[in-house]
Amino acid sequence: MGVCCISPDPASPNQILSGSYDESVVQWDTRNFRQPLRTLSVGGGVWRIKRSPDNSHALVAGMHSGFHVVDLTEFTVTHTYTSHTSLAYGAAWLDQGFVATCSFYDNLVNVWHSG
């Protein structure tokens, strides 16, 4: 399945996150692509991964499963947002834990708290 996005780790230059149509967020060490460090299934195909300003969380757009906040230390989903009515597509971190998300067909931008 095709890779849709890559998010480099600003604190660790040899690590990246990838998202793909296989519905997973995968953490890689770029010195060894044979075996991922960690894999997390979020469903729906991962279209976007945006790291939080403090690099502790990632905001993930799972096309058919909504938006997910992933704790990057535990590599678990801590919050899921499914209020859009179509494909989860765009995501951005705002101030004080708020995020903005948009979907493909419903022409909406929603702002919500990530915690």
Side-chain angles (χ1 to χ4, degrees), residues 4 15 21-22 32 39 46 49 84-86 94 99 104 113:
C4 298
Q15 292 190 10
Y21 287 113
D22 73 356
N32 179 10
T39 302
V46 177
I49 301 172
H84 286 282
T85 60
S86 70
L94 305 175
V99 296
F104 194 78
H113 198 270

Side-chain angles (χ1 to χ4, degrees), residues 1-13:
M1 296 292 231
V3 174
C4 298
C5 60
I6 296 171
S7 177
D9 186 340
S12 185

Side-chain angles (χ1 to χ4, degrees), residues 9-101:
D9 186 340
S12 185
N14 293 317
Q15 292 190 10
I16 62 171
L17 297 175
S18 67
S20 65
Y21 287 113
D22 73 356
E23 305 182 350
S24 296
V25 176
V26 181
Q27 183 181 34
W28 298 94
D29 184 320
T30 59
R31 298 166 293 190
N32 179 10
F33 279 113
R34 292 182 185 189
Q35 181 72 28
L37 298 173
R38 300 188 284 186
T39 302
L40 176 65
S41 179
V42 295
V46 177
W47 190 254
R48 293 268 190 278
I49 301 172
K50 296 289 185 173
R51 291 175 183 269
S52 62
D54 67 359
N55 202 34
S56 65
H57 292 80
L59 181 56
V60 174
M63 286 183 270
H64 299 286
S65 64
F67 294 90
H68 310 282
V69 178
V70 175
D71 180 310
L72 293 177
T73 301
E74 300 296 323
F75 221 61
T76 58
V77 173
T78 60
H79 187 78
T80 297
Y81 182 81
T82 58
S83 292
H84 286 282
T85 60
S86 70
L87 297 174
Y89 203 65
W93 288 92
L94 305 175
D95 290 334
Q96 299 175 352
F98 283 92
V99 296
T101 54

